[in-house]
Amino acid sequence: MNTALPSIQLSVDYTSLTDEINDFLLHFKEDALDKVNENVGSDEIDEESFKGPKYLGLLQKVANRELDTVTVELDDIFKYQSEKFLEGGRSNSDLLVAIENNTNHFTELFCRSIDNIMPLPTKEMNYKDDVLDVILNQRRLRNERLVSDRTNEIRSENLVDSDNNNTSLSQALRDVASSETDLFPPELTRRYFFYFKPLSLNNAARRRNAKSPSAIPMSVRQIKGGSLGKFITVRGIITRVSDVKPSVMVIAYTCDTCGYEVFQEVHSKTFSPLSECSSRECQQNQAKGQLFMSTRASKFSAFQECKIQELSQQVPVGHIPRTLTIHINGSLVRSVTAGDIVDISGIFLPSPYTGFKALKAGLLTETYLEAQYVKQHKKKFSNFTLSTDIEERIEKITRSGNVYENLAKSIAPEIFGNLDVKKALLLLLVGGVYKQVGDGMKIRGDINVCLMGDPGVAKSQLLKAILKITPRGIYTTGKGSSGVGLTAAVMKDPVTDEMILEGGALVLADNGICCIDEFDKMDENDRTAIHEVMEQQTISISKAGINTTLNARTSILAAANPLYGRYNPRLSPLENINLPAALLSRFDILFLMLDIPNKDDDAKLAEHVAYVHMHNKQPTLDFEPIDSDSMREFIALAKTKRPVMSAEVNEYVINAYINLRQDSKREMDSKFSFGQATPRTLLAIIRLSQALAKLRLADTVDVEDIEEALRLIRVSKESLYSEVNGKKDDESPTTKIFTVIKKMALEDSKEVKSLSYEAVVKSIRARGFTMLQLNNCIQEYTYLNVWHLINEGTILKFVDDEYLEPQQEVSSNSSSFKGLSAEERDVIMED
């Protein structure tokens, strides 16, 4: 009984597909107009590159060692098939569909075709540095010697005629050539990495009754078993990136007996090393030569393992985000970093467990994505390249005039008002100039901003708006962050089992912005981790035997609520803002956003919010808001500037700082004592003015930039002392308490104005004042002979009715100073 396994016959003609691949590589020409419309770079387009076949020119550069990557675009294959269809030469098989459904096999088919049609180099090559070139040269000399020996051997034998002699000679040459082919695996002689680029959405839509898995990005959750082996695109955020390690592709061995080189290809996670030489010489001599591994002659590929996680909007209700392992090989390594939002196209493949993991896993297997193409959703400022289209968009922004105002208003235009806050956030996006002094001391250029305010003033929305604009930003909350989560954690690398540092939010936001919401609700022990980052821009770690310093060159944008939920105007700012002075001084600018009832402002706000909910867009403004991409391009160009300060501007800054210090000295013990000018304030003024100069795309800082920076700092400080009714709060708690007690006395019907101390305490405490403030008020007006506490402190009695006349403050002309000399009045007023 025959129990052979049934075989499956696939209706795929690989011979015709291979011919079609060769024809595509040899004859496809790129349309110059399509290339111009893509605008993929800032380099000028070379017209000579469009005269010949596109991929032959690419392979010529590979042969000349100018390129090490060959990327075949599926859009080119689609155009090639479309042109062939229009010419009436329709093939029996769809090459594009075959590639997308069996990408791994077609990668090898394309590489074989490229090896066959690879042109010879057109310029002289230097073979001194490449070990493989030396081995190939030695093998070529060895083969020539073998051919010569074989030829002499045949000629020395007079057993065959000349025709057979020629046949034997050609057979010897073929044998040597075949042995050379068998000796060097194709992976060893390929000096390029091969990738596919996915189909664009426009071309995918033009395909009839066909869906392209590579063109439409999927979430991790949508990838099913039917996608195995196919070319797919996954969209998500990179959460973890391993170090770059060498992954072996071909292992070289050397025989200690005959000196032969033997090569072994590796296509899996594990392999069994060869031990016996398989050369013809060892087989003829029946000698089992021992093989020794040669690392220099082996071929390695750069390898990196990444984790991609679903975006928050892709996760269904009640589920947690899923992750997928990404394998990156060759020239694609280091193309992604943790925190990037990317579309990664690749081959979805299974990866069986090996070793002890296989015993534990049983029938299970894990899957991974072999990366072929990476598309960044937000291009980093450092990777910014100036193309013609970008120049036109920046010129349009500059021509519109009033760039500073328009860019600030374009930050979250659906949020009403808060123009000065948006201006400060715009300067945070641009940043100042990073300086490194000759002795190695570094002065940060990043600007830190803190938004403190009542609930419902759109602080969190402003943070989210900044995240949309910046190409590298991390959002976290106070209660959702720990000190380790912000800085770095020590963990075991799943690839190499080494103890490594896993960067936290501040490390991931390096050269970006870290937005921390609910800053006031963060534990004090966790908040201390931010102190070093905000000023030194480094994170020092000493954990598990790892002593290092990590870079955290990030701007901090914090949002916090006052201590009592809402801002209490009866308390000082220091009592409302429950943050240590050492931390507050590290913020360049601190804005207090109060929710003050005002009929006109409330009506405008209500109209604005109602319009947004009705039309799903912001109301028509007096200008056209600039979109996030254009803002990102303008800011990227602005960040390339390094404005300097002239001697005149330096003098102006010095005088302005001296005046700020004098004002701080006068207000040292007053209610305006919060927000004292410190040397960090001087640095903040310089950084803000440099950012303003960058926005003008200027190379020098003007006096107007300094004045605007001073105005922003002054506005931020004035916002701390706004009264609830919208006007300036010019009354101290002592005056307010006296006004309340005076009203109580006027309401009393007794002729002798005296009040119960217990009733006074009850009334004053009900209005939010403290006992310390009440006692200070009683002592001050007792000293002024306005009232006195009698009957063992139970009765507060006014000295005379004239003190109950309407008055707002104790002034030098008040009757409270009756009987006092001018010098005594001056002393009291100073107190």
Side-chain angles (χ1 to χ4, degrees):
M1 182 178 177
N2 188 7
T3 58
L5 292 174
S7 60
I8 301 174
Q9 299 296 329
L10 298 177
S11 59
V12 180
D13 188 3
Y14 284 108
T15 304
S16 63
L17 286 174
T18 304
D19 295 339
E20 198 169 351
I21 290 172
N22 290 332
D23 186 58
F24 166 75
L25 292 174
L26 288 170
H27 302 105
F28 177 77
K29 291 185 178 181
E30 189 174 19
D31 189 3
L33 183 61
D34 292 342
K35 188 67 177 176
V36 171
N37 291 335
E38 285 180 7
N39 293 314
V40 292
S42 59
D43 300 333
E44 294 184 1
I45 298 173
D46 186 10
E47 295 181 0
E48 295 293 330
S49 61
F50 301 112
K51 293 182 179 179
K54 173 183 177 181
Y55 289 98
L56 268 186
L58 197 66
L59 295 182
Q60 186 64 63
K61 292 183 179 180
V62 174
N64 293 340
R65 310 284 176 89
E66 297 174 2
L67 284 179
D68 63 349
T69 304
V70 177
T71 302
V72 171
E73 300 182 19
L74 296 188
D75 286 337
D76 293 342
I77 296 178
F78 176 76
K79 294 175 186 176
Y80 166 76
Q81 288 185 331
S82 301
E83 292 171 359
K84 200 171 182 182
F85 177 77
L86 293 174
E87 294 172 359
R90 186 175 183 181
S91 60
N92 296 326
S93 57
D94 191 344
L95 179 60
L96 184 58
V97 173
I99 291 174
E100 289 185 333
N101 290 334
N102 194 6
T103 315
N104 202 28
H105 184 57
F106 275 88
T107 301
E108 182 61 27
L109 290 180
F110 266 87
C111 288
R112 290 177 191 171
S113 298
I114 290 173
D115 293 340
N116 292 332
I117 65 176
M118 180 71 72
L120 295 174
T122 56
K123 62 180 183 180
E124 188 176 352
M125 307 302 299
N126 184 10
Y127 299 108
K128 294 182 179 179
D129 299 330
D130 199 331
V131 178
L132 182 58
D133 287 328
V134 175
I135 294 175
L136 289 173
N137 189 38
Q138 291 176 347
R139 180 55 56 201
R140 185 168 55 253
L141 295 175
R142 180 191 179 99
N143 290 337
E144 290 175 358
R145 187 173 67 252
L146 289 175
V147 170
S148 176
D149 294 343
R150 182 65 175 159
T151 304
N152 295 331
E153 182 182 347
I154 292 175
R155 287 175 177 171
S156 63
E157 298 176 357
N158 297 322
L159 302 176
V160 292
D161 55 11
S162 59
D163 293 338
N164 290 335
N165 191 8
N166 292 334
T167 305
S168 300
L169 182 61
S170 61
Q171 181 64 35
L173 291 173
R174 283 197 297 270
D175 291 343
V176 172
S178 64
S179 67
E180 183 181 357
T181 304
D182 296 338
L183 174 65
F184 297 106
E187 284 283 355
L188 190 68
T189 55
R190 288 174 188 157
R191 303 183 182 277
Y192 59 88
F193 297 101
F194 181 82
Y195 302 110
F196 283 114
K197 184 178 178 181
L199 198 66
S200 63
L201 287 174
N202 293 334
N203 288 331
R206 290 165 57 188
R207 294 178 65 188
R208 297 178 180 177
N209 300 325
K211 292 183 178 179
S212 175
S214 66
I216 304 173
M218 297 188 292
S219 66
V220 178
R221 197 176 300 270
Q222 293 173 330
I223 302 174
K224 308 293 183 184
S227 301
L228 280 173
K230 294 184 178 180
F231 192 53
I232 62 173
T233 300
V234 184
R235 176 172 295 175
I237 182 171
I238 302 296
T239 56
R240 188 185 175 279
V241 180
S242 70
D243 293 336
V244 178
K245 300 286 184 181
S247 175
V248 67
M249 299 174 67
V250 180
I251 301 176
Y253 302 91
T254 305
C255 178
D256 62 346
T257 303
C258 63
Y260 217 68
E261 294 97 359
V262 180
F263 297 93
Q264 178 188 14
E265 288 187 274
V266 179
H267 296 291
S268 60
K269 285 185 177 180
T270 59
F271 69 96
S272 298
L274 301 178
S275 57
E276 294 183 0
C277 180
S278 59
S279 67
R280 181 177 300 176
E281 187 174 341
C282 281
Q283 289 177 355
Q284 289 177 351
N285 297 333
Q286 295 183 354
K288 295 183 179 180
Q290 188 176 359
L291 296 178
F292 291 93
M293 191 179 296
S294 176
T295 306
R296 288 199 67 193
S298 302
K299 184 176 182 181
F300 296 87
S301 170
F303 171 79
Q304 208 172 14
E305 184 180 275
C306 307
K307 293 284 187 182
I308 189 170
Q309 181 179 290
E310 288 179 308
L311 299 174
S312 57
Q313 60 265 27
Q314 296 174 337
V315 182
V317 178
H319 292 252
I320 61 174
R322 294 184 182 177
T323 58
L324 177 67
T325 304
I326 308 290
H327 287 182
I328 302 179
N329 291 284
S331 57
L332 276 182
V333 295
R334 298 185 178 92
S335 58
V336 296
T337 55
D340 291 347
I341 298 176
V342 294
D343 286 350
I344 296 186
S345 302
I347 314 168
F348 188 53
L349 296 171
S351 176
Y353 289 99
T354 57
F356 290 105
K357 287 185 178 181
L359 299 176
K360 184 178 180 181
L363 301 177
L364 301 179
T365 182
E366 63 179 3
T367 55
Y368 68 95
L369 191 74
E370 185 76 32
Q372 295 278 313
Y373 182 76
V374 176
K375 176 187 175 184
Q376 293 277 357
H377 275 261
K378 294 180 183 176
K379 208 168 187 180
K380 297 182 180 64
F381 289 141
S382 57
N383 299 337
F384 174 74
T385 53
L386 197 63
S387 65
T388 308
D389 265 15
I390 294 177
E391 283 183 348
E392 290 178 359
R393 287 195 287 269
I394 293 175
E395 184 66 26
K396 181 181 176 182
I397 295 174
T398 309
R399 280 199 312 267
S400 64
N402 209 0
V403 176
Y404 177 47
E405 296 274 343
N406 291 345
L407 285 174
K409 291 178 182 177
S410 299
I411 298 176
E414 66 276 2
I415 296 176
F416 179 75
N418 297 323
L419 182 58
D420 287 328
V421 177
K422 291 181 179 181
K423 287 180 178 179
L425 296 181
L426 175 63
L427 299 183
L428 173 134
L429 284 168
V430 177
V433 178
Y434 171 79
K435 295 278 181 68
Q436 185 167 1
V437 192
D439 60 353
M441 187 183 74
K442 300 174 182 177
I443 303 174
R444 67 177 168 96
D446 297 301
I447 297 171
N448 301 322
V449 177
C450 180
L451 305 179
M452 177 76 67
D454 294 333
V457 292
K459 298 188 299 296
S460 299
Q461 293 293 336
L462 285 172
L463 264 62
K464 295 282 188 181
I466 293 299
L467 281 179
K468 291 178 184 176
I469 299 173
T470 180
R472 188 169 183 82
I474 299 294
Y475 179 85
T476 183
T477 58
K479 278 297 181 184
S481 305
S482 62
V484 172
L486 286 172
T487 55
V490 178
M491 59 180 297
K492 183 176 286 188
D493 189 348
V495 179
T496 60
D497 287 339
E498 299 175 354
M499 296 301 293
I500 61 168
L501 281 174
E502 186 80 13
L506 294 170
V507 178
L508 296 181
D510 189 25
N511 288 326
I513 297 174
C514 184
C515 300
I516 306 176
D517 206 353
E518 310 293 346
F519 194 60
D520 56 308
K521 298 174 181 62
M522 188 181 297
D523 292 336
E524 186 60 36
N525 294 332
D526 299 333
R527 202 186 289 139
T528 52
I530 308 177
H531 286 230
E532 181 187 0
V533 174
M534 293 184 68
E535 199 59 43
Q536 309 302 327
Q537 297 204 310
T538 56
I539 295 174
S540 301
I541 298 292
S542 295
K543 296 179 181 179
I546 299 175
N547 298 304
T548 185
T549 300
L550 305 176
N551 285 325
R553 295 156 295 188
T554 175
S555 298
I556 303 291
L557 174 56
N561 293 114
L563 179 61
Y564 302 104
R566 290 185 67 88
Y567 192 86
N568 187 352
R570 294 188 179 92
L571 302 179
S572 66
L574 197 59
E575 293 172 301
N576 276 286
I577 303 170
N578 188 29
L579 294 176
L583 185 62
L584 285 176
S585 66
R586 286 172 163 84
F587 284 108
D588 295 289
I589 191 164
L590 172 69
F591 270 100
L592 184 66
M593 304 168 67
L594 294 182
D595 184 16
I596 301 173
N598 185 291
K599 187 175 181 180
D600 295 335
D601 293 342
D602 291 344
K604 293 178 183 177
L605 176 63
E607 290 175 3
H608 186 96
V609 173
Y611 187 93
V612 170
H613 278 267
M614 185 184 300
H615 303 282
N616 289 333
K617 63 178 183 179
Q618 69 273 6
T620 305
L621 305 174
D622 55 352
F623 77 106
E624 184 181 353
I626 304 168
D627 60 281
S628 298
D629 292 336
S630 300
M631 285 188 67
R632 203 177 298 123
E633 292 163 356
F634 187 89
I635 292 171
L637 179 61
K639 288 177 81 72
T640 59
K641 301 291 183 180
R642 292 183 62 86
V644 296
M645 299 173 65
S646 62
E648 178 188 356
V649 174
N650 275 348
E651 187 69 25
Y652 189 85
V653 171
I654 293 170
N655 294 332
Y657 175 66
I658 292 173
N659 293 334
L660 284 176
R661 292 286 289 180
Q662 293 301 315
D663 294 341
S664 299
K665 181 180 179 182
R666 285 194 297 270
E667 298 167 357
M668 185 68 70
D669 297 323
S670 69
K671 61 179 181 177
F672 299 102
S673 60
F674 185 79
Q676 296 292 309
T678 64
R680 282 177 176 160
T681 308
L682 175 60
L683 291 173
I685 295 170
I686 295 174
R687 275 189 284 267
L688 292 171
S689 58
Q690 288 171 342
L692 286 162
K694 284 183 175 183
L695 281 174
R696 294 188 294 105
L697 304 179
D699 295 324
T700 56
V701 178
D702 292 343
V703 175
E704 289 77 10
D705 299 327
I706 303 293
E707 290 178 347
E708 174 63 16
L710 290 169
R711 188 193 70 82
L712 283 176
I713 290 179
R714 186 170 63 252
V715 167
S716 69
K717 187 178 179 182
E718 288 175 354
S719 67
L720 298 171
Y721 303 104
S722 297
E723 198 180 13
V724 178
N725 58 11
K727 64 182 181 181
K728 293 294 178 184
D729 180 11
D730 293 331
E731 294 185 357
S732 64
T734 301
T735 306
K736 291 180 179 179
I737 293 174
F738 176 75
T739 305
V740 172
I741 298 176
K742 184 175 66 174
K743 288 181 179 178
M744 292 176 60
L746 290 173
E747 293 171 358
D748 199 347
S749 58
K750 296 179 182 179
E751 292 183 1
V752 179
K753 301 301 180 183
S754 60
L755 299 171
S756 169
Y757 180 72
E758 184 178 352
V760 170
V761 170
K762 186 176 180 180
S763 177
I764 296 301
R765 290 302 301 272
R767 285 169 168 79
F769 296 103
T770 63
M771 285 299 298
L772 179 62
Q773 292 169 338
L774 174 61
N775 292 333
N776 290 338
C777 177
I778 292 176
Q779 290 177 6
E780 181 174 342
Y781 284 92
T782 300
Y783 179 76
L784 295 174
N785 199 28
V786 175
W787 60 41
H788 293 283
L789 280 172
I790 60 175
N791 292 345
E792 298 180 354
T794 57
I795 300 296
L796 183 67
K797 185 178 185 306
F798 282 84
V799 174
D800 198 349
D801 288 347
E802 65 179 300
Y803 297 118
L804 300 179
E805 294 177 359
Q807 58 184 18
Q808 293 297 325
E809 288 188 352
V810 180
S811 63
S812 59
N813 297 326
S814 171
S815 57
S816 306
F817 296 96
K818 278 186 177 180
L820 298 178
S821 64
E823 294 180 357
E824 291 173 334
R825 284 200 302 270
D826 293 340
V827 171
I828 293 174
M829 286 300 296
E830 288 180 2
D831 293 337

